[in-house]
Amino acid sequence: QKEVEQNSGPLSVPEGAIASLNCTYSDRGSQSFFWYRQYSGKSPELIMFIYSNGDKEDGRFTAQLNKASQYVSLLIRDSQPSDSATYLCAFKRAGSYQLTFGKGTKLSVIP
Amino acid sequence: EAQVTQNPRYLITVTGKKLTVTCSQNMNHEYMSWYRQDPGLGLRQIYYSMNVEVTDKGDVPEGYKVSRKEKRNFPLILESPSPNQTSLYFCASSPLWGRASTDTQYFGPGTRLTVL
């Protein structure tokens, strides 16, 4: 069964704070995990991917993966108003051609 | 400029009137896919194509058709649209989808379809 759960939010954080976005998945065959950002009325754009347990950092973004707990998260440090968007997590099974998305978490960064 | 294009961007039509939404990519990607996005339901995959003449159903294929006669184009066809197909549609492409852990999908700008 393919399923991705995300807190729909909205999640509100003050400017400069750390925003924490979480995602759980039920498919233990999941291999790769992706975080996409989608501004209102726009198409999704990839922020980060992760496929090994642990943390992966890229600028202000850190993705964390725990396959044993079936949990992936995205931390945004020093949040900016321009980070206000909906964040979609997604996963892909090994060898699969399909990408399964969560419903997204809406983030608002308050100036 | 490397991109995925979709046309039209906005379309209002009536029930039963056949329509085609075009998708084209200029990145020589093998993999292309169609998604629909609905409030509260997120992004759901309709059809995908691993290469020319190779297509397969996604999670919500009913009421849709696709074809992949050329590598760059992947049109979505609604033979007899119904109001429940009112949605935001995205086309996406990827160079190596399925073969590498880290390949990613590039999305088009979206087509907002309203079926009355």
Side-chain angles (χ1 to χ4, degrees):
Chain A
Q1 179 184 358
K2 298 182 294 184
E3 192 172 314
V4 182
E5 296 290 337
Q6 286 185 260
N7 187 328
S8 62
L11 173 67
S12 294
V13 300
E15 184 175 355
I18 296 175
S20 177
L21 304 161
N22 304 312
C23 180
T24 59
Y25 61 95
S26 59
D27 185 350
R28 288 195 172 273
S30 302
Q31 178 193 40
S32 306
F33 302 86
F34 304 81
W35 281 100
Y36 282 81
R37 176 176 62 199
Q38 186 176 24
Y39 292 112
S40 181
K42 301 295 185 181
S43 56
E45 55 180 337
L46 181 72
I47 300 175
M48 293 187 71
F49 62 84
I50 185 169
Y51 56 93
S52 298
N53 275 326
D55 295 359
K56 179 181 179 183
E57 187 174 317
D58 184 1
R60 295 187 295 113
F61 299 95
T62 299
Q64 300 174 317
L65 175 60
N66 184 325
K67 289 190 176 182
S69 299
Q70 296 177 254
Y71 178 93
V72 59
S73 65
L74 179 70
L75 300 177
I76 306 174
R77 290 182 299 282
D78 188 23
S79 296
Q80 301 297 309
S82 59
D83 295 325
S84 297
T86 296
Y87 290 80
L88 309 170
C89 74
F91 75 87
K92 183 171 79 73
R93 285 182 128 259
S96 169
Y97 290 97
Q98 290 193 263
L99 189 63
T100 301
F101 282 87
K103 296 176 183 178
T105 298
K106 186 172 183 178
L107 172 67
S108 293
V109 181
I110 312 302
Chain B
E1 179 188 354
Q3 59 183 350
V4 179
T5 57
Q6 295 179 228
N7 282 292
R9 295 289 313 280
Y10 303 90
L11 179 60
I12 301 175
T13 189
V14 296
T15 299
K17 186 177 181 181
K18 181 179 178 179
L19 66 92
T20 299
V21 183
T22 64
C23 174
S24 183
Q25 51 93 5
N26 62 1
M27 297 171 278
N28 201 37
H29 286 173
E30 291 185 1
Y31 179 92
M32 298 184 75
S33 179
W34 276 104
Y35 297 88
R36 61 177 290 175
Q37 188 172 37
D38 303 288
L41 296 177
L43 268 168
R44 294 178 293 167
Q45 190 174 45
I46 303 171
Y47 270 96
Y48 60 94
S49 170
M50 291 78 79
N51 213 324
V52 175
E53 302 291 2
V54 184
T55 63
D56 206 350
K57 296 178 181 178
D59 296 318
V60 288
E62 293 76 21
Y64 304 95
K65 284 177 58 177
V66 293
S67 68
R68 186 94 182 271
K69 292 181 169 46
E70 306 168 279
K71 198 171 187 178
R72 62 182 293 129
N73 296 323
F74 190 45
L76 179 70
I77 303 158
L78 285 72
E79 295 269 3
S80 183
S82 62
N84 65 11
Q85 292 179 298
T86 292
S87 187
L88 179 59
Y89 291 86
F90 288 103
C91 180
S93 73
S94 176
L96 293 171
W97 196 251
R99 298 186 207 165
S101 306
T102 58
D103 52 11
T104 186
Q105 296 194 16
Y106 300 86
F107 284 81
T111 295
R112 188 166 293 280
L113 172 65
T114 301
V115 183
L116 302 174

